[in-house]
């Protein structure tokens, strides 16, 4: 059994640092030498059959007696004040059971200086009123009967415009959303003076939309003074706490259930307005209410990846040694600040490379657009584009192979924390696996010749990320009388295969076949606390808790078997649901025989996740190589192949790790090439809040993807040795593609997505056609001489595409 000793260190800071949690008695750690039979092997998803047969119940599938359906009236203007609202005609419509607006809703605080239904609307899509009715059609009809008189106010939707002195104010205090976040070590200006070469460029990233296949939404039902929510969320306990706070309820009067979810990508970590609106409508109507967002609302009101503008300065010696890294970052947070200081774009610059002088400045900026929120590796995706493209430019400037430059500045210690990594070799191993599988060196020696208007090139990018886990987390393991096992935890499976991986951990520790184990999760009323499923942390957080609970239960079972078999427990082992005595080849008994012998007494194990190591830094790393083909006549960029290598500690299930890598890479390719929210700057309206005009990649767009897997157990991170993999594969993809495009055509695009119009505009100043011998006039087998970098468009454009 795992026993924890907890000492309070300080209050008011992050939960991980607030308490010192010491494991007094813990399970042995699975190191690289551990012989495992279930963990590390492919296994189909335990919930796979339920999903493909339609038995899995998502938030959309909840049907309760008397269920009402909700539609929300949203602001048609990017900034306005409600002068008057009249809902009487909607309320009188047959079949309408409840209506909420600023006229009758309780004044519940939301965001900063705002309310659940605010009379000041700050983006097109802001909530104005909500209707619950017998059917979706009646609810939609009722919305059209609500009369609203708006007073239009000045607005600003673009990041660069919001920073101008004469810009309309999103808030009275101005458009800068708080003090800049500054990190600094060493002396950056001195480092730049010492440099032989300085790269000083501006890179911008666009607004991207999550577009989860299952939009946000919930079903709310009251049982007396107890509220039950079936919510599509990444954090059932956070939703419970936030909803209870908003409605002034004790937490034990709010139950949140989430069994299956069709994607979240970070956008479903919090309680959004619709959850509280559904609860209030249900209370008003005395009937259960379902409020599921449609695609347009999903893309307007519940988050996006914030656009950024990053001025990056790199200083280096002629041999490539970095002397300074300086990043000045401006990022739009939308109309409201959600989740503290916003995405940590600065983080990508602070520890990946060995450099004594580093400074990052991050400034959040309000705009009259929907609020930004975490999106799969928030901040690091944007920051990696700036850093890794600038590093590629530096490699060209000092005439080094981009791979060699990265290896030359390799760090085995966390540059930010000043502590060694638990696996200092992991990024080097990722470089080796990725470049060997890709054939990086061979390609450099023998480059393909140009074919008419088409040029080929290759690019490389790397990343670091967390994935160490968010303690605390808890689990229970219970043996039933027939020898089957229930594993209970309060975590969420957000589509990543958590059910399967946690079941594998339990089966490995218990010595019980997986089919004899049932994993229960996603219900605040039935499981112990687990943190939000984000930051690639679920497996690294709850896996050790499940293993500790299983070890506790197994120890009790061995004691029971010892009495049953009259053999010391130290001579017994459990394998495939059977007891074996040391030195004897045949099974002495089965788990079922022992559990039936002690029934109705039940064996219950409890497990906890202790704190992360304090003397070392736990990080994950990865590298990707890309080959592209660029048509210089049409501007089309085709990714031909991509090789990814990512360290996630011990691989629990290779198939599911592959799935996460492929999914992250595909999302990264969309971010690099096609995905971009388009806003009409004149009217402040999003023009592509749908899946027709917002260009998510389809299967026809996906290139050959190879996962050069790294299986490097990290027992210092936690007793299972596993770390996170959900987010890292998205981080380096866009800069790798951009670097490959430059390698192909000699033109540097510093603004994504890399659309055809941007590429053609950048290519326009280059008129001489390439010689027939090779790309850009190079002879076969030689690298092309890079053409002068041409930046498309005025500086700072590209972070938010707008219609003039």
């Amino acid at each position: 059994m795992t026993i924890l000793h907890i000492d309070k260190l300080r209050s008011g800071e992050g939960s991980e640092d607030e308490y010192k949690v010491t494991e007094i008695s813990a399970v042995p750690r699975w190191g690289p030498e551990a012989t495992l039979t279930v963990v590390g092997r492919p296994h189909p998803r335990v919930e796979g059959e339920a999903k493909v047969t339609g038995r899995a119940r998502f938030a959309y599938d909840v049907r309760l007696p008397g269920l009402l359906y909700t539609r929300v009236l949203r602001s048609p203007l990017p900034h306005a004040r409600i002068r008057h609202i009249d809902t009487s005609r909607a309320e009188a419509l047959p079949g309408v059971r409840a209506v909420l607006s600023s006229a009758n809703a309780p004044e519940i605080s939301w965001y900063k200086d705002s309310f659940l239904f605010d009379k000041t609307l700050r983006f097109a899509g802001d909530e104005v009123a909500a209707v619950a009715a017998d059917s979706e059609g009646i609810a939609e009809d009722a919305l059209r009967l609500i009369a609203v008189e708006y007073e239009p106010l000045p607005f600003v939707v673009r990041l660069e415009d919001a920073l101008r002195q004469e810009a309309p104010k999103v808030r009275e205090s101005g458009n800068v959303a708080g003090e800049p976040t500054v990190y600094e070590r060493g002396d950056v200006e001195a480092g730049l003076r010492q440099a032989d070469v300085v790269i000083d460029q501006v890179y911008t990233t666009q607004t991207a939309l999550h577009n989860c296949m299952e939009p946000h939404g919930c079903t709310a039902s009251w049982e007396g003074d107890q509220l039950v929510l079936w919510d599509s969320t990444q954090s059932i306990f956070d939703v419970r706490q936030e909803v209870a706070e908003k409605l002034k309820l004790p937490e034990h009067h709010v139950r949140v259930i989430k069994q299956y979810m069709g994607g979240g990508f970070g956008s479903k970590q919090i309680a959004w307005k619709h959850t509280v609106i559904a609860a209030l409508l249900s209370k008003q109507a005395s009937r259960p209410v379902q409020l599921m967002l449609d695609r347009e609302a999903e893309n307007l009101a519940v988050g996006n990846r914030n656009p950024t503008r990053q001025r990056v300065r790199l200083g280096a010696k002629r041999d490539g040694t970095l002397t300074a890294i300086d990043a000045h970052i401006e990022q739009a947070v939308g109309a409201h600040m959600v989740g503290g200081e916003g995405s940590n774009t600065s983080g990508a610059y602070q520890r990946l490379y060995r450099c004594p002088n580093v400074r990052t400045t991050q400034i959040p900026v309000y705009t009259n657009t929907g609020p930004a929120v975490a999106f799969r590796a928030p901040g690091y995706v944007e920051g990696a584009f700036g850093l890794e493209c600038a590093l590629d430019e530096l490699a060209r400037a000092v005439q080094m192979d981009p791979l060699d430059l990265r290896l030359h500045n390799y760090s085995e210690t966390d540059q930010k924390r000043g502590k060694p990594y638990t696996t200092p070799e992991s990024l080097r191993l990722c470089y080796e696996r990725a470049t060997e599988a890709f054939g990086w060196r061979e390609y450099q020696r023998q480059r393909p010749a140009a074919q008419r208007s088409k040029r080929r090139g290759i690019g490389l990018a790397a990343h670091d990320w967390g994935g160490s886990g968010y303690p605390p987390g808890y689990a229970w393991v219970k043996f039933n009388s027939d020898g089957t096992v229930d594993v209970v935890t309060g975590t969420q499976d957000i589509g990543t295969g958590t059910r399967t991986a946690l079941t594998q951990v339990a089966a490995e520790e218990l010595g019980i076949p997986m089919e004899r184990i049932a994993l229960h999760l996603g219900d605040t009323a039935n499981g112990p606390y687990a943190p939000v499923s984000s930051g690639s942390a679920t497996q690294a957080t709850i896996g050790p808790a499940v293993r500790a609970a299983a070890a506790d239960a197994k120890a009790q079972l061995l004691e029971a078997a010892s009495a049953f078999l009259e053999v010391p427990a130290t001579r017994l082992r459990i394998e495939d649901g059977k007891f074996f005595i040391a030195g004897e080849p045949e099974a002495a008994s089965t788990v079922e025989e022992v559990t039936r012998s002690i029934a109705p007494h039940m064996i219950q194990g409890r497990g906890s996740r202790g704190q992360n190591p304090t003397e070392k830094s736990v990080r994950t790393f990865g590298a990707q190589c890309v080959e592209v083909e660029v048509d210089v006549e049409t501007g089309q960029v085709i990714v031909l192949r991509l090789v990814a290598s990512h360290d996630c500690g011990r691989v629990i299930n290779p198939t599911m790790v592959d799935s996460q890598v492929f999914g992250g890479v595909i999302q990264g390719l969309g971010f690099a090439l096609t995905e971009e929210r388009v806003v009409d700057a004149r009217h402040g309206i999003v023009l592509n809040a749908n899946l027709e005009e917002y260009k998510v990649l389809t299967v026809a767009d996906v290139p050959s993807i190879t996962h050069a897997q790294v299986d490097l157990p990290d027992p210092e991170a936690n007793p299972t040795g596993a770390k996170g993999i959900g987010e890292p594969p998205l981080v380096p993809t866009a800069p790798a593609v951009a670097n490959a495009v430059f390698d192909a055509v000699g033109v540097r695009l510093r603004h994504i997505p890399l659309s055809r119009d941007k590429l053609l505009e950048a290519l326009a100043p280059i008129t001489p056609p390439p010689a027939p011998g090779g790309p850009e006039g190079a002879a076969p087998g030689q690298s092309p001489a890079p053409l002068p970098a041409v930046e498309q468009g005025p500086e700072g454009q590209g972070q938010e595409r707008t219609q003039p």
Side-chain angles (χ1 to χ4, degrees), residues 234 265-266 269 305 374-381 463-467 470 494 496 533-538 620 624 646 660-661 663-665 667-668 724-733:
Q234 295 175 233
F265 308 120
Q269 297 182 38
R305 187 186 294 281
F375 189 161
R376 202 170 187 176
Y380 276 68
V381 171
H463 80 90
D464 85 305
W465 179 248
Y470 297 147
I494 60 175
T496 55
S533 290
S534 68
S536 309
T538 301
T620 60
Q624 292 180 12
H646 295 271
Q660 289 301 299
V661 170
V665 165
Q667 209 163 27
I725 190 61
E727 287 156 289
L730 176 57
V731 180
T733 308

Side-chain angles (χ1 to χ4, degrees), residues 85 139 157 296 416 485 510 616 640 646 756 767 787 792:
I85 184 168
V157 296
E296 182 177 22
K416 183 177 182 180
V485 176
L510 292 170
K616 291 188 177 182
L640 300 174
H646 295 271
R756 294 189 186 206
T767 54
L787 296 173
Q792 82 285 5

Side-chain angles (χ1 to χ4, degrees), residues 743-781:
D743 188 60
V745 299
V747 169
R748 180 69 62 179
L749 300 181
R750 301 188 182 94
H751 315 305
I752 51 174
L754 308 176
S755 58
R756 294 189 186 206
D757 57 335
K758 291 176 186 173
L759 184 55
L760 290 174
E761 184 179 350
L763 287 168
I766 303 172
T767 54
E776 304 301 341

Side-chain angles (χ1 to χ4, degrees), residues 316-337:
K317 296 293 188 179
R318 287 289 177 194
D319 66 356
T321 302
L322 286 168
T323 61
I325 300 174
D326 185 31
H328 182 89
I329 302 159
E330 298 156 354
Q331 59 188 50
V333 299
H336 302 285
M337 179 74 85

Side-chain angles (χ1 to χ4, degrees), residues 26-47:
V27 295
R29 294 172 180 260
W30 286 336
E33 73 289 344
T35 302
L36 307 178
T37 59
V38 182
V39 164
R41 308 295 175 86
H43 194 283
R45 291 179 180 245
V46 297
E47 80 281 10

